[in-house]
Amino acid sequence: MIKKSSHCGRCPTPWLPLGPARTTKGQSTPQTLQLTLSHITTIMSVPTTNDAGAAQRLKAEADALFRAKDYQGAFERYTEAIRHSGGKNPILYCNRSACSRALGRRLEATDDAQTAITLDPSYAKAYARLAAANTGTLTSQGRAIEALQKALSILPPVDSATPLEKRQRAEYAALLDAAEKEEKKLNEDVITRAKCAQELMGVDRSRLPWALAAEVIPTLKGPDRWNSSAWLIRHARQEWQKGMDIMQYLRTTEDRENDQYTVVSPPGAVLALSNAVLTDYRAFKFLLEGDPLGVFVSQLRVELSANDGWYTGGSHRVISEADLRRQSEPLDDVLYSLTITIRGWIVNGWLEETYMGALEHSLDYYTSALEVLNWARKVWEDEDPYTLGPLFQEHVVHVVKCLQLRVYTQLYEERPGPGSQSILEHIRDGAQELLDELLQIEHDAPPEDSESCYPLFLAYMRYPLAQAHAFQGFYYHQTGILMKEAAGGINTDEVADMYISAAHSYEDAASFYPQDDEMHIWSLYRAFHISLDVGREAGDLLDILDKVHNAMPKMKTVWEVPLETCVCLREGAFETCATWREELLSSLEHGKLTRSLTIMRGPSEM
């Protein structure tokens, strides 16, 4: 069982401890892990029957659904067909891979394509499916290129090929050319992001948020001393450093002749790094120190293997196999396997989002984590929370939802407009769901005498509330923009209502962020500028600007160095707020306007 830890009594159980008492399944103290691993793929374990007639009928239904672009329906039919075919038909796995790829589920698409290849190594189309599932991120673009090269090598020469095989060769050659060009672009993008990180690395380390936080915390006094971002970023950075320190001991040796490699490393890095992401993802801004991106892949593999976690597949595979395992294995063993798998997805999701810029891959990791978390919480809803452990609690689900919604907002910003309406709907529904759940829980303050609760209360309660309001503001604002475009650029009453709703949501977000967090001021800045686009009373605008003015000195005690944007952009935005505030105050003082007068941005300022 997971060992209980003392806590204040008001903090929900998942907040202490953040990790399982045992660092590796079956071990009570950290040990160095040494594992010899093979580059092999296992076929997903599912109950099957041999009913060729039913399998063929279900395949035909799935094919029709796929052609009609009902990819979820086709996925479900192919899944049934696989069960009736004894789980040995590579075509069904290959077709289901295409469904998963169309649904944005790249982990599932990769797993099925690889399974099809395992069942039939000469199946060229399966390699093309594997390539499709792995494009778009530098972490697997090489795998996509290799898969397409393999597909081309399997096809017969042009002079002896059938018309279908000739078309396949032309298609795969074009895909290979595009994949190689994309790899160059992805490399350039990663270099650009690395340069941004290098710029931060040139900053005086003593001025970084976590360093300043250590100086600020002893000065915090009074009943509201918990309400500071210093607690959060210091704790997150400590977790981050813990994970990085562990990975320094990782060693890998490869035996190419036998297609094996041996990894030696202490456990615990995945736990620490996932805690850092869940607490405050901004602690990862210096991840490129020591180039741990590749190291983390090996670290995750060794910890997954030690805990019988899932290295391949997404939520569909994990849920299917965990459901079978829980019927014959101890609960603790299944939970440890799920825990390390989900934590690995959380870290990988953040790495793909931030350092690879691969938003679809990132979204798949977060969505898979949420689906397995929700499944486990439902299956074991009657278990004691301490038995399940900290990861399977509602508060963790809230934070992962925030990570997922953050990616959705970035996806919409990449391709805004009516064609991305479904993304906006995801954001709207997700934000409302978070607010409905979080506002039912006590969120005013943690116990004053329990400092260990402060960062966790902020990370799992206050910040998700702030982010939920911000996501709601994003939805209102972007919907208002679409409505304005549909109205020919006119600020109709409906458009104005949507913009003002967005501004109010961002103001609500600011109220849940500590005043000394840069996100508090950014939320107010967004509220102010959105309000100006449709007009708002001068008094309301001045109230927002006063909050920015009052928070600025506090913010710089921790966030002297911005991590969400560059220094110039932040300073420019805040100077704009200061200028507006001075002009409004001056105009009020000289009787040029009243607080009830509506102020709107001029056409030349838009």
Side-chain angles (χ1 to χ4, degrees):
M1 295 296 180
I2 307 282
K3 187 185 296 182
K4 291 191 178 183
S5 174
S6 60
H7 68 98
C8 59
R10 287 182 58 194
C11 284
T13 52
W15 298 359
L16 290 174
L18 273 177
R22 298 178 301 181
T23 53
T24 303
K25 189 173 74 176
Q27 299 177 1
S28 58
T29 57
Q31 298 182 17
T32 298
L33 306 176
Q34 177 171 329
L35 298 169
T36 299
L37 308 169
S38 299
H39 301 276
I40 59 174
T41 298
T42 58
I43 298 175
M44 186 172 76
S45 301
V46 292
T48 60
T49 61
N50 286 297
D51 187 340
Q56 190 59 37
R57 173 180 56 79
L58 289 163
K59 179 184 180 300
E61 293 176 5
D63 292 345
L65 289 168
F66 187 88
R67 288 191 294 271
K69 297 185 178 181
D70 181 357
Y71 301 120
Q72 184 60 46
F75 179 95
E76 293 168 1
R77 287 292 192 281
Y78 283 129
T79 299
E80 293 180 43
I82 288 170
R83 288 173 180 155
H84 284 286
S85 67
K88 302 296 182 182
N89 187 329
I91 295 175
L92 294 176
Y93 284 104
C94 188
N95 289 0
R96 192 171 71 172
S97 175
C99 295
S100 295
R101 176 64 188 87
L103 292 167
R105 307 309 300 270
R106 292 174 181 263
L107 293 172
E108 308 286 3
T110 297
D111 192 31
D112 277 344
Q114 191 61 63
T115 298
I117 291 167
T118 301
L119 292 171
D120 183 1
S122 65
Y123 191 9
K125 183 180 285 189
Y127 288 97
R129 298 288 192 226
L130 181 62
N134 284 275
T135 56
T137 175
L138 201 57
T139 54
S140 61
Q141 190 73 15
R143 185 181 187 185
I145 291 172
E146 290 176 3
L148 288 167
Q149 291 171 337
K150 182 67 175 178
L152 288 168
S153 72
I154 289 172
L155 292 171
V158 176
D159 55 0
S160 62
T162 66
L164 174 60
E165 290 168 337
K166 290 178 180 178
R167 289 196 298 272
Q168 280 183 292
R169 178 172 289 279
E171 178 187 352
Y172 299 162
L175 289 172
L176 177 59
D177 181 63
E180 289 173 339
K181 291 178 180 177
E182 185 178 15
E183 185 178 39
K184 293 179 181 178
K185 182 180 182 301
L186 290 170
N187 264 309
E188 292 171 358
D189 292 343
V190 169
I191 290 171
T192 299
R193 281 186 287 273
K195 286 181 178 178
C196 293
Q198 291 295 331
E199 290 175 5
L200 278 177
M201 291 174 72
V203 174
D204 181 355
R205 299 301 179 90
S206 67
R207 311 317 297 166
L208 292 172
W210 35 86
L212 293 179
E215 298 176 6
V216 167
I217 285 175
T219 69
L220 298 173
K221 307 294 181 183
D224 292 333
R225 63 190 300 264
W226 61 270
N227 198 15
S228 170
S229 62
W231 300 104
L232 194 72
I233 193 62
R234 185 188 69 164
H235 183 85
R237 185 64 180 187
Q238 288 171 342
E239 290 292 318
W240 181 92
Q241 192 63 58
K242 189 187 305 180
M244 297 295 291
D245 289 345
I246 291 172
M247 290 199 299
Q248 288 181 2
Y249 296 97
L250 184 139
R251 298 291 182 270
T252 302
T253 57
E254 188 168 5
D255 179 357
R256 295 187 178 181
E257 182 178 346
N258 296 310
D259 195 27
Q260 293 180 335
Y261 61 98
T262 300
V263 181
V264 179
S265 177
V270 177
L271 168 66
L273 292 174
S274 60
N275 281 343
V277 174
L278 292 169
T279 304
D280 191 335
Y281 54 76
R282 292 171 293 186
F284 270 67
K285 289 296 179 178
F286 282 85
L287 185 66
L288 292 175
E289 289 175 302
D291 187 29
L293 286 167
V295 177
F296 178 73
V297 173
S298 296
Q299 181 72 36
L300 177 59
R301 182 67 184 267
V302 73
E303 294 199 37
L304 284 168
S305 298
N307 289 282
D308 295 329
W310 285 265
Y311 190 71
T312 59
S315 59
H316 177 72
R317 179 180 190 135
V318 171
I319 290 172
S320 297
E321 294 188 349
D323 199 34
L324 292 176
R325 285 177 56 182
R326 73 187 182 92
Q327 299 173 32
S328 58
E329 296 182 25
L331 175 59
D332 266 11
D333 287 356
V334 180
L335 289 174
Y336 270 82
S337 298
L338 290 171
T339 295
I340 197 68
T341 301
I342 295 168
R343 286 185 178 276
W345 283 342
I346 290 169
V347 178
N348 272 327
W350 178 245
L351 296 179
E352 291 289 358
E353 174 191 352
T354 306
Y355 294 99
M356 296 295 106
L359 296 179
E360 288 189 3
H361 288 265
S362 173
L363 183 63
D364 192 20
Y365 279 119
Y366 292 146
T367 301
S368 296
L370 279 173
E371 288 174 348
V372 177
L373 283 171
N374 287 327
W375 171 80
R377 283 169 49 77
K378 182 176 181 180
V379 167
W380 290 298
E381 61 183 345
D382 295 329
E383 292 288 344
D384 184 273
Y386 283 107
T387 299
L388 295 181
L391 189 68
F392 298 95
Q393 307 306 318
E394 185 179 29
H395 301 81
V396 174
V397 173
H398 293 155
V399 176
V400 180
K401 282 182 183 177
C402 287
L403 293 170
Q404 181 198 50
L405 289 174
R406 174 185 164 89
V407 176
Y408 271 124
T409 62
Q410 294 175 77
L411 283 170
Y412 186 83
E413 287 173 335
E414 282 192 352
R415 44 178 186 267
S420 297
Q421 186 65 40
S422 62
I423 297 178
L424 275 184
E425 291 170 358
H426 276 297
I427 296 169
R428 176 198 64 198
D429 295 343
Q432 190 59 58
E433 184 179 68
L434 276 171
L435 290 172
D436 290 343
E437 294 170 357
L438 287 163
L439 291 173
Q440 295 181 28
I441 307 170
E442 185 176 353
H443 55 265
D444 290 338
E448 183 182 347
D449 59 349
S450 184
E451 290 186 5
S452 60
C453 283
Y454 294 173
L456 305 174
F457 177 77
L458 290 166
Y460 291 92
M461 176 56 68
R462 300 286 291 191
Y463 275 67
L465 268 170
Q467 292 174 68
H469 282 294
F471 294 137
Q472 192 174 63
F474 181 91
Y475 166 76
Y476 286 139
H477 187 210
Q478 297 302 325
T479 300
I481 291 173
L482 293 179
M483 293 169 63
K484 186 172 182 177
E485 290 174 352
I490 299 173
N491 284 333
T492 63
D493 289 344
E494 291 78 10
V495 169
D497 287 344
M498 199 61 70
Y499 272 62
I500 296 303
S501 293
H504 286 319
S505 291
Y506 279 117
E507 289 178 71
D508 289 338
S511 71
F512 285 103
Y513 284 120
Q515 277 190 307
D516 62 10
D517 195 310
E518 60 180 345
M519 294 309 298
H520 171 81
I521 299 181
W522 272 121
S523 299
L524 294 170
Y525 175 79
R526 293 188 180 101
F528 173 72
H529 278 275
I530 290 170
S531 298
L532 278 181
D533 286 340
V534 293
R536 195 165 172 187
E537 291 186 2
D540 291 340
L541 295 175
L542 194 54
D543 287 344
I544 296 173
L545 294 174
D546 282 344
K547 291 176 182 177
V548 173
H549 176 77
N550 294 334
M552 191 75 67
K554 297 178 181 179
M555 183 269 293
K556 290 189 175 181
T557 63
V558 179
W559 300 92
E560 178 180 316
V561 177
L563 296 185
E564 286 293 274
T565 185
C566 66
V567 175
C568 294
L569 181 60
R570 188 179 80 173
E571 293 306 310
F574 297 163
E575 284 176 12
T576 299
C577 289
T579 300
W580 268 95
R581 180 174 179 273
E582 290 175 7
E583 292 179 355
L584 287 176
L585 286 173
S586 177
S587 296
L588 283 170
E589 182 181 352
H590 292 89
K592 296 180 180 180
L593 59 81
T594 63
R595 290 183 63 89
S596 61
L597 183 69
T598 298
I599 305 294
M600 183 175 174
R601 197 195 312 272
S604 62
E605 300 174 292
M606 292 186 177

